[in-house]
């Protein structure tokens, strides 16, 4: 069948998108008006999504709760959690659902044809025929409900989205962002919180929730996307016959209102929580955000990102410099958002004070006026455009399937205008035009129009308030107490009954015949062989040189690893600072602004970092100073010139800049602690017994942030010390005997760098230096860290190798069982936490962490009972088949060229050979119930001694104080 023969659709547009080498069709479904975009091409990682325009009218989170609940069972798949069934047992490469401020999208991706069709069907049935109308408990579980186990208990509110959003409302970056959006679009759906404000979520009724679904989840309001190598006509025919043709066209009013411009600048203030002991000095967010033009402007998103770089991305940007010199903030940045109907651009100073407001505004105004008058630095704009074009051509989205990234880009115009579906898909011509415009006054004119002559802007201030979380918690407790007091005995009994009934519902297994309605691949359909090793080891001038022959579209991905194991931990502590600051200081040849531009003009990225890895066979650890550079071969000479300039000619005595970067790093470090408490808790718990994690904690974890924060307190002396350390470190690191080179590139290009690399090797330091060793001691002792949010992150870790046990591929299968069965059911579904993950490494580490969790003790109990669960593990053949496929899908992730190169380098460094990966794969594919049960002993051994770390709310941690040796503040 071909597309032209399809009677039920009309082709509105057909063109070839040369930027991404794909055909594209825009169609409409004749009967319902459903909108469709197809991108047929030879990409094996196929993508499908269905999306709806879902503008909310309040902050009850109704769009978000509908997103969660439609995945909890449907007509064809009447089980409690088809989403989880798919996660467990499909070869998907992407499976999720996302609520945005104006749309909800349900994407799936897979390399396997059978699997892809199956995923599509489960998702389509979910959105059009969900069980939410038949089963109210789905709404209560995922949205919100009153919880009362006994009539005498305190009344509580729980629910997955409720916990998720309590977590999201803990992060000050998020809080400020949300306030800006709400205040600049007061008359549109962006004026409310689509995810749900935890204070407002309990206002949502079951009826309003159902109304939202019936209004918006209709083909006439839908957006359907298909990408990759599949029979598109066959797919469209199926979508029509199974779903769309059963509906009549209706008028759905879901257009997103446009915000009328303001007559004058408005202001907003939002409070965010600090813990009781935190200092509120230098903690205020200052922001000025402009709103202008809309989705129909193809150039503006790129122009705005160029402005970001010109105003703050380049370390020498005049605006950044003026604000920091005036002592306003520790971190200054600009940020644009073109993913919604109207575009936004904001200037931020973080770590400021409220009295800086006027100065903040006048410095920005002066700088905008000056730029319009005197012009942007041309090279800065050009450098940015060249780098962006590199990224656009490279199209490397990490683990996000390429097709999905393109599909989501479409919605940035398609959602607002049916005729502009492919509007942002051909940017190369836009880059060309903008690069030419650099030498005119084009950018300056836009700056004048959109900023100086524009009153649609808002000044927003995020003000820290000590103890706000405790206050909110006690207010909520009070409200709930009053609520309970107002209830009659019968009403209270009803809540107790409902609580029981919900738990009962959650615990009742699905019927076997219903589970079987979800089609599954068989283990026998899965490829037996692991991916082949791509590593080839060579030597260049006595230096080990690893290469992977991979097609990279003309890009060289080069990694230089300097072994730093002979340096003492006292020096190592400064290495992350060095990695961060090195390419941002003046060199003998270039000032730091020009250096930043030159790096952008000639590379696709030059990054330095400090990393540690461990050989799985010998247990030996290695730490590296790592340099990653990607570039086009034609720029190789310039790239090595710049690299040498940065490494050997940097002017290290610049106290002022080092002091400035130190404050910025402290601010970024603290934000990292607050936005990723689960990672912090996990690293910390593991560091109590594992030296590699101890080094990680010291170099990039909480300990590193504390170290930087201590240095910042006495900047005058610290900067001297830092300069001294940098001068000691560079000759210790940059030595031939430390160097290891890795290159990912097609083989015919691989020798092209030999001359440059040889010269580089010869230029390395040879003078004598003191030699030492990285040595660390682990500090045992369970800790809790108070953070200003209202949820918990509960981590437990252990290991079994030192107790004489060995790793097995069955652990990969257990990981799937944990993620989608044991932890999912106990910690998420019943416990109400947003998430919970387990990890088992080849080096024998076992760790579990919950995410945005209302509990501490209950979650720990579930962790403690894990070994028993594993010992008595039982499942059907079908389930085992499912868990095995789920484990394989975690491994068989499609990789980008750079990703595959990196993975191979890691295999080499950690001693994981092809035969080890094959052994693991064999163990996964043959895994039996007995194999899972045999892991119980290893888990018992690992968790015998409890290494626990919790990040959480003050009140909750104090309740559980007895669990910890220490209770400290996170920041
Ligand atoms: Zn969610």
């Amino acid at each position: 069948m071909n597309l032209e023969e399809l009677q039920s659709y009309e082709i509105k547009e057909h063109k070839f998108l040369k930027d991404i080498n794909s055909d594209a069709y825009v169609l409409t479904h004749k009967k319902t008006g459903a909108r469709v975009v197809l991108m047929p091409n030879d990409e094996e990682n196929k993508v499908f999504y269905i999306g709806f325009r879902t503008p909310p009218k309040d902050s009850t989170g109704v769009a978000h709760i509908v997103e969660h609940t439609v995945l909890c069972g449907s007509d064809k798949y009447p089980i409690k959690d088809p989403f989880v069934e798919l996660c467990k047992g499909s070869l998907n490469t992407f499976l999720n659902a996302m609520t945005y401020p104006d749309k909800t999208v349900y994407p799936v991706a897979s390399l396997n044809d059978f699997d892809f069709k199956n995923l599509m069907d489960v998702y389509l049935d979910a959105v059009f025929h969900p069980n939410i109308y038949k089963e109210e408990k789905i709404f209560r579980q995922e949205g919100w409900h009153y919880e009362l186990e006994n009539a005498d208990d305190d009344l509580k509110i729980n629910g997955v989205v409720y916990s998720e959003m309590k977590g999201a409302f803990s992060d000050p970056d998020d809080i400020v962002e949300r306030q800006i959006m709400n205040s600049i679009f007061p008359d549109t759906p962006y004026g409310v919180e689509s995810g749900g404000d935890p204070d407002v979520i309990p206002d949502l009724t079951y009826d309003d929730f159902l109304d939202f679904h019936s209004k918006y989840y209709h083909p006439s309001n839908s957006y359907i996307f298909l990408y990759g190598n599949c029979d598109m006509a066959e797919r469209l025919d199926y979508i029509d016959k199974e779903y769309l043709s059963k509906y009549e066209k209706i008028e759905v009013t879901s257009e997103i209102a446009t915000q009328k411009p303001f007559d004058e600048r408005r202001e907003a203030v939002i409070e965010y929580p600090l813990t009781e002991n935190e200092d509120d000095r230098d903690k205020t967010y200052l922001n000025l955000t402009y709103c202008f033009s809309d989705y129909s402007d193809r150039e503006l998103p790129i122009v705005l990102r160029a402005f970001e770089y010109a105003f703050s991305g380049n370390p020498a940007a005049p605006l950044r410099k003026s604000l920091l010199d005036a002592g306003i903030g520790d971190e200054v940045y600009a940020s644009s958002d073109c993913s919604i109907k109207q575009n936004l651009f904001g200037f931020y100073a973080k770590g400021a004070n409220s009295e800086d407001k006027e100065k903040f505004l006048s410095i920005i105004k002066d700088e905008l006026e000056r730029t319009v008058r005197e012009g942007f630095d041309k090279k800065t704009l050009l450098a940015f455009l060249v780098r962006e074009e590199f990224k656009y051509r490279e199209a490397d989205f990490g683990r996000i399937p390429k097709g999905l990234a393109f599909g989501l880009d479409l919605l940035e115009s398609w959602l607002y205008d049916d005729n502009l579906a492919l509007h942002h898909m051909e940017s190369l011509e836009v880059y060309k035009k903008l690069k030419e415009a650099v030498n005119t006054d084009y950018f300056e004119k836009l700056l004048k129009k959109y900023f100086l002559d524009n009153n649609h802007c808002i000044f927003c201030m995020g003000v820290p308030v000590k103890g706000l979380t405790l206050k909110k918690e006690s207010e909520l407790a009070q409200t709930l107490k009053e609520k309970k007091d107002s209830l009659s005995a019968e009403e209270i009994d009803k809540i107790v009954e409902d609580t029981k009934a919900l738990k009962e519902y959650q615990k009742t297994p699905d019927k076997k015949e219903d589970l079987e309605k979800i089609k599954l691949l068989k283990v026998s359909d899965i490829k037996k062989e692991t991916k082949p090793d791509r590593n080839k080891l060579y030597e260049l001038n006595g230096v080990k040189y690893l290469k992977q022959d991979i097609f990279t579209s003309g890009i060289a991905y080069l990694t230089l690893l300097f072994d730093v194991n002979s340096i003492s931990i006292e020096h190592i502590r400064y290495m992350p600072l060095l990695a961060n600051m090195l390419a941002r200081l003046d060199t003998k040849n270039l000032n730091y602004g020009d250096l930043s531009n030159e790096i952008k003009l000639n590379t696709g990225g030059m990054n330095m970092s400090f990393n540690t890895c461990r050989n799985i066979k010998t247990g030996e650890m290695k730490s590296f100073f790592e340099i990653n550079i990607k570039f086009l071969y034609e720029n190789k000479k310039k790239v090595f010139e710049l690299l040498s300039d940065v490494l050997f000619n940097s002017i290290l005595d610049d106290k002022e800049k080092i002091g400035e970067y130190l404050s910025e790093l402290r601010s970024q470090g603290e934000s990292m602690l607050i936005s990723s408490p689960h990672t912090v808790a996990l690293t910390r718990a593991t560091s109590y017994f594992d030296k590699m994690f101890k080094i990680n904690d010291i170099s990039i974890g909480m300990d590193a942030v504390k170290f930087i924060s201590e240095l910042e307190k006495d900047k005058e002396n610290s900067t001297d010390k830092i300069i001294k350390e940098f001068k000691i470190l560079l000759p210790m690191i940059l030595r031939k005997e430390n160097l290891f080179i890795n290159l990912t590139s097609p083989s015919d290009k691989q020798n092209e760098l030999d001359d440059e690399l040889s010269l580089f090797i010869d230029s390395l330091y040879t003078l004598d230096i003191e030699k030492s060793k990285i040595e660390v001691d682990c500090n045992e002792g369970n800790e809790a860290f108070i953070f200003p949010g209202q949820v918990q992150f509960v981590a437990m870790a252990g290991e079994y190798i030192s107790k004489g046990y060995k790793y097995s591929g069955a652990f990969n299968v257990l990981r799937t069982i944990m993620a989608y069965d044991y932890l999912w059911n106990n910690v998420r579904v019943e416990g109400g936490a947003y998430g919970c993950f387990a990890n088992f490494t080849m080096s024998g580490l076992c760790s579990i962490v919950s995410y945005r969790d209302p509990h501490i003790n209950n979650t720990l109990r579930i962790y403690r009972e894990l070994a028993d669960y594993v010992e008595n593990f039982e499942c059907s053949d079908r389930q085992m088949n499912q868990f095995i496929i789920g484990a394989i899908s975690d491994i068989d992730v499609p990789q980008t060229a750079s990703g595959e190169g990196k993975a191979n380098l890691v295999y080499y460094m950690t001693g994981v050979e092809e035969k080890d990966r094959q052994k693991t794969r064999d163990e996964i594919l043959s895994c039996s119930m007995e194999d899972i049960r045999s892991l119980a002993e290893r888990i018992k051994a690992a968790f015998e001694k409890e290494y626990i770390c919790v990040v959480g709310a003050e009140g909750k941690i104090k309740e559980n104080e007895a669990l910890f040796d220490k209770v400290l503040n996170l920041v």
Side-chain angles (χ1 to χ4, degrees):
M1 195 186 307
N2 73 38
L3 285 171
E4 282 75 13
E5 288 165 23
L6 282 176
Q7 294 303 313
S8 44
Y9 298 85
E10 182 193 340
I11 298 176
K12 290 171 59 191
E13 192 182 348
H14 172 205
K15 68 162 132 177
F16 184 74
L17 302 173
K18 59 178 182 312
D19 290 10
I20 63 165
N21 197 24
S22 175
D23 245 329
Y25 294 85
V26 182
L27 307 93
T28 11
H29 182 250
K30 287 181 190 159
K31 189 171 174 219
T32 61
R35 306 157 182 88
V36 181
V37 167
L38 307 177
M39 289 190 189
N41 54 51
D42 54 14
E43 170 78 46
E44 288 308 326
N45 197 7
K46 296 167 270 289
V47 176
F48 160 80
Y49 71 62
I50 180 156
F52 302 93
R53 221 161 37 190
T54 52
K57 62 177 193 320
D58 56 36
S59 298
T60 56
V62 58
H64 185 188
I65 295 171
V66 170
E67 176 235 298
H68 276 236
T69 53
V70 300
L71 299 172
C72 297
S74 65
D75 281 0
K76 267 197 214 172
Y77 306 101
I79 54 174
K80 279 181 294 175
D81 232 329
F83 174 72
V84 174
E85 286 303 300
L86 293 174
C87 288
K88 273 184 208 168
S90 94
L91 280 181
N92 72 78
T93 53
F94 190 91
L95 183 67
N96 210 336
M98 292 94 88
T99 308
Y100 296 85
D102 52 12
K103 60 183 179 267
T104 311
V105 186
Y106 297 83
V108 297
S110 180
L111 294 161
N112 178 294
D113 218 43
F114 170 90
D115 201 37
F116 185 61
K117 289 181 178 172
N118 192 21
L119 293 166
M120 276 181 71
D121 197 54
V122 176
Y123 261 39
L124 282 161
D125 203 56
V127 296
F128 289 124
H129 312 301
N131 275 351
I132 53 175
Y133 294 90
K134 297 177 201 155
E135 182 52 84
E136 190 223 7
K137 293 188 193 76
I138 298 173
F139 165 69
R140 298 203 289 126
Q141 169 183 303
E142 295 297 317
W144 76 277
H145 60 272
Y146 286 121
E147 205 164 79
L148 199 59
E149 280 180 21
N150 305 296
D152 300 335
D153 293 354
D154 291 338
L155 187 65
K156 290 206 174 76
I157 295 178
N158 205 345
V160 174
V161 168
Y162 182 74
S163 297
E164 182 188 346
M165 294 315 291
K166 264 193 162 180
F169 272 67
S170 301
D171 185 338
D173 283 5
D174 275 13
I175 293 173
V176 171
E177 231 20 81
R178 199 167 278 131
Q179 185 63 35
I180 294 167
M181 180 98 145
N182 294 351
S183 315
I184 205 157
F185 294 117
D187 311 318
T188 78
Y190 308 130
V192 296
E193 177 47 49
S194 62
D197 177 341
D199 293 339
V200 188
I201 290 174
D203 293 342
L204 182 65
T205 66
Y206 180 51
D207 287 340
D208 287 346
F209 155 80
L210 293 180
D211 285 348
F212 193 89
H213 179 268
S214 38
K215 176 168 181 197
Y216 292 127
Y217 282 57
H218 187 282
S220 303
N221 188 42
S222 71
Y223 296 79
I224 294 168
F225 174 71
L226 274 164
Y227 173 94
N229 186 9
C230 67
D231 184 343
M232 298 266 170
E234 181 276 330
R235 292 285 79 203
L236 281 190
D237 191 44
Y238 140 83
I239 296 175
D240 170 58
K241 292 213 168 81
E242 282 294 306
Y243 296 97
L244 303 184
S245 65
K246 297 176 181 160
Y247 290 81
E248 297 303 325
K249 188 172 186 160
I250 59 164
E251 227 20 86
V252 183
T253 41
S254 61
E255 285 78 32
I256 313 300
T258 299
Q259 178 62 46
K260 218 170 107 240
F262 298 165
D263 295 330
E264 56 181 11
R265 187 181 75 221
R266 295 192 189 174
E267 304 206 344
V269 177
I270 181 78
E271 294 183 337
Y272 78 85
L274 287 187
T275 51
E276 206 62 68
N277 304 320
E278 270 178 276
D279 186 357
D280 55 10
R281 188 76 204 142
D282 299 333
K283 291 270 166 66
T284 298
Y285 285 72
L286 301 178
N287 165 275
L288 178 67
T289 293
Y290 286 87
C291 174
F292 30 66
S293 192
D294 63 12
Y295 62 90
S296 61
D297 191 327
R298 292 173 68 199
E299 287 157 24
L300 200 60
I302 300 170
V303 170
L304 291 179
R305 290 203 303 277
F307 287 174
E308 282 177 37
Y309 178 66
F311 283 122
S312 73
N314 183 311
L319 177 67
R320 178 181 188 278
K321 210 173 160 331
S322 308
L323 286 168
L324 290 174
D325 287 351
I328 300 177
D330 304 317
E331 220 187 317
V332 166
Y333 54 96
S335 161
S336 64
D337 182 0
C338 298
S339 65
I340 50 176
K341 190 176 182 189
Q342 288 162 281
N343 299 323
L344 294 178
F345 187 97
F347 298 98
Y348 297 77
K350 203 166 146 180
N353 292 290
S354 53
E355 61 267 25
D356 297 331
K357 175 188 164 187
E358 293 308 324
K359 229 179 337 151
F360 172 77
L361 291 170
S362 77
I363 289 176
I364 293 173
K365 183 164 175 280
D366 290 352
E367 186 52 30
L368 289 172
E369 284 171 352
R370 191 196 63 80
T371 312
V372 169
R373 207 170 50 239
E374 297 172 15
F376 281 105
D377 176 51
K378 304 290 180 200
K379 201 165 180 188
T380 298
L381 292 179
L382 188 65
F384 173 81
L385 292 167
V386 169
R387 166 67 67 83
E388 282 294 286
E389 188 179 334
F390 182 103
K391 275 164 54 186
Y392 178 73
R393 286 177 190 269
E394 187 189 25
D396 184 340
F397 307 98
R399 287 194 76 154
I400 306 282
K402 201 184 255 194
L404 178 58
F406 296 146
L408 293 175
D409 280 350
L410 297 184
L411 289 169
E412 295 186 4
S413 50
W414 192 20
L415 196 76
Y416 314 109
D417 189 335
D418 292 352
N419 298 316
L420 296 183
L422 307 174
H423 198 54
H424 293 298
M425 287 314 291
E426 288 165 299
S427 293
L428 280 182
E429 57 192 47
V430 182
Y431 282 109
K432 184 165 179 285
K433 187 185 156 198
L434 291 177
K435 281 193 289 183
E436 284 163 8
V438 164
N439 289 315
T440 69
D441 59 357
Y442 179 79
F443 289 88
E444 289 77 9
K445 276 192 177 142
L446 289 180
L447 193 64
K448 179 166 187 308
K449 174 176 165 199
Y450 285 129
F451 292 79
L452 290 179
D453 301 341
N454 178 8
N455 287 328
H456 192 177
C457 63
I458 182 149
F459 169 74
C460 181
M461 192 151 70
V463 184
V465 176
K466 282 192 198 188
L468 189 65
T469 303
L470 274 185
K471 190 174 143 235
K472 281 202 139 191
E473 278 179 346
S474 70
E475 274 169 15
L476 178 64
Q478 185 58 31
T479 313
L480 286 169
K481 190 180 174 305
E482 282 163 19
K483 170 80 194 168
K484 197 182 169 199
D485 291 343
S486 75
L487 297 172
S488 66
E490 292 78 56
E491 285 169 320
I492 289 178
D493 286 346
K494 171 91 169 67
I495 296 178
V496 175
E497 253 169 53
D498 286 348
T499 304
K500 279 208 185 82
L502 182 59
K503 293 250 180 285
E504 206 50 48
Y505 165 79
Q506 290 165 338
K507 276 197 197 311
T508 313
D510 289 308
K511 285 192 215 128
K512 187 165 168 280
E513 63 267 31
D514 288 340
L515 280 169
E516 282 169 2
K517 288 176 181 155
I518 292 196
K519 292 186 215 117
L520 289 185
L521 283 163
K522 289 192 204 70
V523 171
S524 53
D525 299 330
I526 306 265
K527 197 163 71 95
K528 303 277 173 296
E529 299 77 30
T530 186
K531 266 197 180 178
D533 214 300
R534 308 295 292 262
N535 288 328
K536 283 220 166 73
L537 187 65
Y538 301 85
E539 217 179 82
L540 183 70
N541 293 6
V543 170
K544 280 188 180 164
Y545 189 178
L546 193 67
K547 298 178 187 177
Q548 299 90 29
D549 173 11
I550 294 173
F551 176 73
T552 59
S553 322
I555 300 170
Y557 294 96
L558 179 68
T559 303
L560 305 173
L561 292 172
F562 290 92
D563 183 326
V564 295
N565 286 282
S566 58
I567 301 179
S568 74
I569 193 73
E570 286 69 35
H571 294 308
I572 292 282
R573 281 184 171 278
Y574 290 86
M575 214 174 279
L577 296 178
L578 179 68
N580 177 280
M581 296 181 191
L582 207 47
R584 300 204 291 157
L585 296 169
D586 291 343
T587 71
K588 286 184 190 136
N589 300 309
L590 290 166
N591 74 47
Y592 68 133
D594 290 337
L595 177 66
S596 170
N597 289 340
E598 286 295 331
I599 292 174
K600 277 206 155 41
L601 280 168
N602 292 287
T603 76
M606 181 196 283
N607 297 302
M608 299 179 202
S609 56
F610 171 82
N611 291 308
T612 303
C613 68
R614 170 167 39 213
N615 187 297
I616 60 150
K617 287 169 187 146
T618 62
E620 187 199 358
M621 285 188 299
K622 268 197 178 144
S623 294
F624 298 100
F625 185 80
E626 180 171 340
I627 305 173
N628 283 293
I629 322 173
K630 52 183 169 182
F631 53 93
L632 297 169
Y633 278 93
E634 65 212 48
N635 295 334
K636 62 180 178 176
K637 277 218 147 41
K638 191 74 199 172
V639 168
F640 277 89
E641 240 176 74
L642 284 167
L643 179 66
S644 293
D645 204 27
V646 166
L647 295 178
F648 303 112
N649 297 328
S650 282
I651 297 170
L652 303 171
D653 300 286
D654 197 333
K655 274 182 76 105
E656 196 188 324
K657 275 192 213 93
I658 288 177
E660 177 189 311
Y661 296 151
L662 187 65
S663 300
E664 184 186 272
L665 271 181
R666 196 259 311 135
S667 170
Q668 289 169 348
E670 288 178 357
S671 298
M672 180 273 287
L673 297 184
I674 289 181
S675 63
S676 312
H678 57 303
T679 314
V680 173
L682 207 53
T683 305
R684 197 77 180 179
T686 317
S687 79
Y688 300 153
F689 62 90
D690 183 279
K691 289 191 175 183
M692 186 171 100
F693 276 78
K694 183 72 188 174
I695 295 174
N696 285 344
D697 190 45
I698 289 175
S699 57
I700 49 172
M702 180 189 292
D703 200 72
V705 179
K706 304 253 183 234
F707 177 68
I708 291 170
S709 162
E710 281 307 312
L711 285 176
E712 199 208 1
K713 282 185 189 145
D714 179 14
K715 237 185 205 178
E716 183 51 36
N717 287 317
S718 298
T719 42
D720 287 337
K721 172 80 175 144
I722 292 171
I723 291 166
K724 202 173 136 219
E725 286 291 336
F726 284 3
K727 289 182 178 171
I728 296 172
L729 276 170
L730 283 169
M732 280 183 172
I733 300 169
L734 302 173
R735 305 177 72 83
K736 180 173 167 179
E737 67 265 28
N738 294 344
L739 181 59
F740 183 98
I741 306 170
N742 187 75
L743 176 67
T744 307
S745 156
S747 58
D748 59 327
K749 290 273 196 185
Q750 283 181 346
N751 296 332
E752 279 194 28
L753 301 179
D754 286 3
D755 291 349
E756 280 73 19
L757 280 167
S758 297
L759 282 174
F760 177 76
I761 292 168
D762 289 343
S763 69
L764 292 166
Y765 290 101
T766 51
L767 65 158
D768 283 342
I769 42 150
E770 50 153 330
K771 289 221 165 160
S772 176
K773 228 179 122 190
I774 297 188
E775 265 179 289
V776 290
D777 290 317
C778 294
N779 309 78
E780 286 198 7
N782 298 337
E783 298 161 306
F785 294 93
I786 295 173
F787 102 128
Q790 301 175 58
V791 285
Q792 280 63 242
F793 303 82
V794 182
M796 185 150 117
E799 63 80 39
Y800 52 79
I801 297 279
S802 74
K803 291 147 194 160
Y805 295 99
K806 281 201 166 59
Y807 169 80
S808 145
F811 269 114
N812 292 56
V813 182
L814 180 62
R815 190 174 172 275
T816 315
I817 298 173
M818 296 279 282
Y820 298 112
D821 196 286
Y822 184 70
L823 295 175
W824 183 277
N825 289 334
N826 291 296
V827 182
R828 177 166 160 133
V829 176
E830 284 188 47
Y834 178 44
C836 193
F837 327 98
N839 205 13
F840 307 103
T841 70
M842 282 177 107
S843 57
L845 291 175
C846 303
S847 53
I848 319 178
V849 64
S850 66
Y851 187 74
R852 298 183 181 172
D853 187 349
H855 305 288
I856 294 179
N857 235 328
N858 185 48
T859 303
L860 287 171
R861 177 186 58 75
I862 296 163
Y863 295 174
R864 287 179 191 125
E865 290 169 4
L866 172 65
D868 278 349
Y869 166 83
V870 173
E871 194 163 15
N872 301 306
F873 178 74
E874 270 192 51
C875 71
S876 64
D877 288 350
R878 180 187 152 92
Q879 279 173 315
M880 201 61 204
N881 180 76
Q882 223 173 353
F883 292 134
I884 290 171
I885 289 169
I888 290 290
S889 99
D890 278 347
I891 297 178
D892 287 357
V893 186
Q895 285 167 317
T896 58
S898 68
E900 190 174 1
K902 244 306 131 54
N904 274 274
L905 171 60
V906 172
Y907 294 148
Y908 181 85
M909 287 297 161
T910 52
V912 178
E913 295 169 68
E914 190 177 317
K915 65 175 193 314
D916 303 315
R917 300 200 300 279
Q918 187 61 52
K919 182 167 178 278
T920 300
R921 195 174 181 91
D922 295 343
E923 284 166 350
I924 295 173
L925 290 172
S926 67
C927 185
S928 66
M929 222 150 62
E930 214 29 69
D931 293 331
I932 296 294
R933 289 185 195 148
S934 76
L935 302 178
E937 265 183 67
R938 278 169 265 194
I939 290 171
K940 260 186 219 155
F943 291 152
E944 192 179 12
K945 183 158 175 34
E946 286 189 0
Y947 294 104
I948 299 167
C949 179
V950 174
V951 178
E954 197 157 358
K956 198 80 191 169
I957 283 184
K958 296 225 159 113
E959 268 173 43
N960 293 281
E961 215 156 6
L963 283 169
F964 309 107
D965 299 296
K966 276 186 223 154
V967 174
L968 301 156
N969 276 323
L970 181 66
V971 179

